[in-house]
Amino acid sequence: MPLILIEIADGVAVVTLNRPEAMNALSAALRVELAEAMLAVASDDTVRAVVLTGAGTRAFTAGLDLKELGASTAGLGAANATDPRDNPVRAVEQCAKPVIGAINGVAITGGFELALACDVLIASTNARFADTHARVGIMPGWGLSQKLSRMIGLSRAKELSLTGNFLDAATAERWGLVNRVVEADALLPTAMALARDMASIDPAMAAAYKALIDDGFALPFGEGMTLEAERSIAANTQVAPEAVEQARQAVMARGRSQG
């Protein structure tokens, strides 16, 4: 049975972690298949946006396979490496296309980190988040200690990480961790509709804009503004007036259809 499923339609690839019997735990084998899947959709010109989710309703992913770690912690060093075949966050980050996380159940510890690797999070009412690194006795290595505080604030991040308590979907939305919460049967349709909206953007523009947001967010504000100015000048001087007018007409038509 494949550990990763890929379905492609209307410019959107749905990538599914497929170990529901193990709460989609990130075994070494699954991490390799995820890296291969994300590389495949990243290089497929028919794919313009990606939805990442988990099989079943119990779990997006429960994180690293603790049964594997219980037998040997030797894999922890590899898991913290930068190789996408070991590090699932790197696997997602190697995709320059928009990645929407459809969080169908629990996202725990390493699974929480994988969720935060996505560009946008849509959660079902079944979704819950927890950081149990401290309780397990393992330091995070996929970005959770830095990303979470930047998303929800320092004190809230400390509350989650220093208790290991679960955060329910409604509170996650209120804290700004997820964009919206929907019923379980509406999760994939909602995520795919948003992905199709993103897929309708010119792919080169989408990739460049995503990179600008991410690269700038990693910098102090002033440096981020400088980065935007540099890339804006370099890109916008190449735009033809005719292209701007054509795009303006299309934007106006789309706005009228949404009104």
Side-chain angles (χ1 to χ4, degrees):
M1 180 179 70
L3 300 176
I4 299 292
L5 304 176
I6 304 176
E7 296 182 23
I8 300 173
D10 301 326
V12 176
V14 178
V15 177
T16 304
L17 310 176
N18 190 37
R19 292 186 73 203
E21 76 289 348
M23 298 184 71
N24 300 318
L26 301 169
S27 64
L30 184 146
R31 298 198 305 269
V32 169
E33 288 195 26
L34 177 60
E36 293 171 348
M38 294 304 297
L39 188 60
V41 298
S43 59
D44 187 340
D45 290 339
T46 68
V47 174
R48 292 190 169 194
V50 180
V51 173
L52 179 64
T53 193
T57 59
R58 294 176 60 208
F60 172 66
T61 168
L64 278 174
D65 192 323
L66 294 183
K67 288 186 178 180
E68 284 187 350
L69 291 182
S72 171
T73 57
L76 276 176
N80 287 340
T82 57
D83 187 338
R85 292 168 62 86
D86 294 315
N87 183 329
V89 169
R90 295 288 189 183
V92 172
E93 290 175 345
Q94 71 184 345
C95 181
K97 300 168 183 178
V99 179
I100 297 170
I103 311 303
N104 54 300
V106 296
I108 303 173
T109 311
F112 199 167
E113 293 181 286
L114 182 58
L116 295 186
C118 300
D119 298 302
V120 173
L121 295 180
I122 308 296
S124 86
T125 50
N126 296 328
R128 293 191 299 161
F129 301 85
D131 177 13
T132 62
H133 278 101
R135 290 199 173 274
V136 176
I138 296 172
M139 281 292 186
W142 296 342
L144 188 60
S145 69
Q146 303 304 305
K147 291 180 181 178
L148 188 60
S149 60
R150 287 164 169 78
M151 293 185 72
I152 66 174
L154 194 62
S155 61
R156 285 172 171 169
K158 287 178 180 177
E159 176 184 336
L160 292 181
S161 297
L162 299 180
T163 63
N165 291 344
F166 275 100
L167 181 72
D168 64 85
T171 306
E173 182 182 29
R174 191 169 70 249
W175 284 7
L177 181 66
V178 303
N179 288 50
R180 68 200 68 154
V181 178
V182 297
E183 294 297 327
D185 60 357
L187 178 63
L188 272 181
T190 300
M192 291 181 67
L194 182 59
R196 285 193 293 270
D197 281 345
M198 293 183 176
S200 67
I201 299 291
D202 174 79
M205 181 65 187
Y209 207 157
K210 171 180 168 173
L212 176 58
I213 294 170
D214 287 341
D215 294 347
F217 190 74
L219 298 172
F221 181 76
E223 293 179 24
M225 291 295 288
T226 299
L227 178 70
E228 181 190 274
E230 292 172 350
R231 293 192 187 178
S232 175
I233 292 169
N236 293 347
T237 53
Q238 304 301 314
V239 178
E242 298 80 7
V244 173
E245 176 58 22
Q246 185 177 4
R248 184 184 73 85
Q249 294 290 342
V251 169
M252 290 176 62
R254 185 171 188 267
R256 288 192 292 269
S257 69
Q258 290 183 319

